[in-house]
Amino acid sequence: MFENLLYQNAGEQLSADVRLTRLPHAILLSGPVSSGKLSCALELGRVLSCRAHEHGLWQCTCTSCLLHKSLLSPDVILAGPRDCTLENAAAAEAFLRGVRQNRTWVAAARYLFIRSVRKLTARFSPVLLAGDDKVSKIAPLLAGLDELLEEIDPGRPLPPVALLEKNCGEIVTLCKKLESGFMYDTLPVSHIRSVSQWARYTVSDGKKLVILENADRMQESVRNALLKILEEPPENTVFVLTTAHKGAIMPTILSRVRQYSFTERTSVQQREVLSRVFHAQVQDDYITDYLQRFLPISPQDIKQAGAEYIMNLMRGIRLSPEMICKSCMAFEPRVLLSLFCNGMTGMLRDMQVSHDLNIPQHACLSEIAVLIMYQVRYFYSSITTYNQNPVSALELLTGNILSVLKQYKGGLVV
């Protein structure tokens, strides 16, 4: 039970609660990014539905466990925003490398790739999309992915390497289209309402599971809708919320969930996770760093672009938002946007500590940096939360920053 959750005490705590039948109807898994929270939530669903005598073993071959391992169980709903395409690309690379080199772990890599894709497609299940006006656009992408995944189903022999490479490439491309075109950055309230209705349907055996990832990104209407469900939870349904920012979760929601904490793994432990999951031989990579290798732009370059954007504005040089967005791939996947903003805030922090702030002439520089950081946060949320066009958002950010600088004209030293 939870054998694949490495270096996290939460697995042992959950195992004990399951064995002693004291698992509550709602739990919160909180901890750093890439610490195993989603893997733990998915494994909990398998364990709760396992029909074997030796309950919950990973090697179990009961019908329920096989469905859960393939992320095809009808008793699990997975919702919430997530960046999936880097994991898709990394899993595809591991799978194809294993096939080309005829490695013994090909079967595990095949499961890894299939699961990585279904972690994305599950967020567009018929339950969640009921009544959504985007269904007609999403459906062809999902159908194409299902058809391609059938070709690499664990029950079928693998196609020739050349065809397999072509199919995997098409799968990764479709995943990018699905995520960039339709992945929400904050959970829609319609999804909570659909989940509430689905959760009240009875299940013949085991329990139903609702996983809500990145619960800290919920808007007020969504939080209130979720709170109503947690106040009167459906029978035989367990809600699992995950977050990397527990402080952003409403206190009223925190009071209705049991919390399980995940910790930052050491660099040695993360290298072992990378070795066991992606069969990657790395010396000093963290999981996040490894996945960012699959970005279309290097993390260093996108951060540098953000830093140079700020520095140019400070020098009175206004660059074209269209050109910036084009060079940054329109910030798709969204992790590029985070890295671009990190580059901007990093430059602003450097500006604050690069001068003696006790000198009155430099004191306003700290104030300017704080005001610009506020504008950068607004820029990020306008794209991720309110779905504003990146070019328009960057145009607005440029104007706002120039307005700040104009107010302090004459007191600025760069």
Side-chain angles (χ1 to χ4, degrees):
M1 196 181 295
F2 298 99
E3 305 100 311
N4 294 331
L5 183 62
L6 304 178
Y7 303 113
Q8 294 293 355
N9 292 331
E12 297 176 6
Q13 297 166 5
L14 279 165
S15 294
D17 287 345
V18 170
R19 289 192 183 98
L20 297 173
T21 63
R22 63 187 184 195
L23 187 75
H25 72 276
I27 66 175
L28 174 69
L29 309 181
S30 64
V33 174
S34 299
S35 56
K37 301 184 295 295
L38 178 56
S39 295
C40 179
L42 293 169
E43 179 67 350
L44 177 62
R46 187 188 68 81
V47 168
L48 292 176
S49 298
C50 180
R51 297 167 185 169
H53 178 66
E54 296 186 24
H55 196 69
L57 293 178
W58 175 252
Q59 299 300 331
C60 179
T61 57
C62 75
T63 303
S64 179
C65 282
L66 291 177
L67 287 172
H68 275 274
K69 289 178 186 179
S70 298
L71 300 192
L72 290 174
S73 173
D75 297 331
V76 175
I77 288 292
L78 174 57
R82 179 184 175 88
D83 297 325
C84 298
T85 53
L86 296 186
E87 183 180 345
N88 299 152
E93 191 275 337
F95 176 37
L96 291 173
R97 176 162 36 89
V99 171
R100 295 188 196 105
Q101 298 174 1
N102 196 26
R103 295 302 184 95
T104 57
W105 40 262
V106 167
R110 187 197 295 211
Y111 258 116
L112 174 72
F113 182 44
I114 292 172
R115 283 170 61 91
S116 77
V117 175
R118 287 181 178 149
K119 286 177 186 177
L120 171 63
T121 59
R123 295 163 208 274
F124 303 95
S125 74
V127 171
L128 297 175
L129 290 181
D132 195 313
D133 57 4
K134 300 185 185 70
V135 170
S136 61
K137 297 179 180 179
I138 296 173
L141 295 174
L142 295 175
L145 285 167
D146 285 342
E147 183 177 343
L148 288 166
L149 287 176
E150 280 186 23
E151 298 297 320
I152 58 172
D153 185 86
R156 301 178 60 168
L158 288 175
V161 175
L163 180 57
L164 181 63
E165 291 175 342
K166 178 177 179 292
N167 288 347
C168 289
E170 290 179 1
I171 289 172
V172 170
T173 298
L174 286 175
C175 284
K176 289 178 181 177
K177 289 182 179 179
L178 182 61
E179 181 172 313
S180 64
F182 303 101
M183 176 62 79
Y184 38 86
D185 289 295
T186 181
L187 188 70
V189 68
S190 61
H191 286 196
I192 292 294
R193 292 169 180 156
S194 297
V195 163
S196 176
Q197 185 177 4
W198 173 86
R200 298 184 189 282
Y201 296 147
T202 59
V203 60
S204 59
D205 194 14
K207 289 184 178 291
K208 301 173 94 172
L209 191 78
V210 176
I211 302 172
L212 303 177
E213 265 204 293
N214 294 304
D216 52 281
R217 300 190 201 174
M218 294 180 184
Q219 294 183 347
E220 184 176 1
S221 60
V222 183
R223 294 196 298 262
N224 291 336
L226 175 62
L227 192 58
K228 290 180 181 179
I229 302 175
L230 298 182
E231 287 173 345
E232 299 179 8
E235 189 176 0
N236 292 325
T237 299
V238 175
F239 286 80
V240 181
L241 282 61
T242 78
T243 182
H245 307 284
K246 187 174 72 171
I249 303 292
M250 279 178 61
T252 47
I253 290 180
L254 288 177
S255 68
R256 288 166 173 78
V257 298
R258 181 177 298 167
Q259 300 179 38
Y260 297 84
S261 297
F262 286 64
T263 58
E264 184 79 59
R265 299 182 180 105
T266 67
S267 58
V268 173
Q269 291 170 344
Q270 293 204 44
R271 284 199 297 273
E272 183 179 343
V273 172
L274 286 169
S275 176
R276 291 182 58 172
V277 176
F278 294 102
H279 306 279
Q281 301 302 315
V282 294
Q283 296 301 316
D284 55 359
D285 270 321
Y286 285 83
I287 296 172
T288 300
D289 293 335
Y290 178 76
L291 292 177
Q292 287 181 359
R293 289 184 181 185
F294 297 89
L295 284 169
I297 307 172
S298 76
Q300 294 76 21
D301 287 347
I302 193 77
K303 287 181 182 179
Q304 184 63 29
E308 290 178 354
Y309 165 76
I310 289 293
M311 188 53 67
N312 279 319
L313 284 179
M314 300 294 279
R315 291 171 176 163
I317 302 172
R318 181 170 182 160
L319 301 178
S320 164
E322 291 85 357
M323 293 301 296
I324 294 173
C325 288
K326 184 178 180 180
S327 67
C328 295
M329 307 292 292
F331 304 114
E332 294 293 349
R334 280 290 181 252
V335 67
L336 291 177
L337 178 65
S338 297
L339 292 170
F340 183 79
C341 290
N342 288 344
M344 289 193 285
T345 56
M347 174 58 71
L348 293 167
R349 283 192 295 269
D350 290 345
M351 285 166 42
Q352 292 183 76
V353 301
S354 64
H355 298 283
D356 182 356
L357 297 182
N358 292 322
I359 299 176
Q361 188 181 26
H362 293 160
C364 71
L365 194 58
S366 179
E367 297 175 18
I368 291 171
V370 170
L371 290 173
I372 294 177
M373 282 187 182
Y374 174 80
Q375 297 298 334
V376 170
R377 287 195 294 271
Y378 180 79
F379 162 73
Y380 180 83
S381 64
S382 69
I383 297 175
T384 59
T385 303
Y386 300 105
N387 202 31
Q388 186 174 1
N389 179 277
V391 174
S392 300
L394 194 59
E395 181 70 46
L396 181 61
L397 174 64
T398 300
N400 289 341
I401 291 176
L402 291 176
S403 295
V404 170
L405 296 178
K406 185 177 180 180
Q407 294 175 29
Y408 286 83
K409 186 177 182 181
L412 177 62
V413 177
V414 179

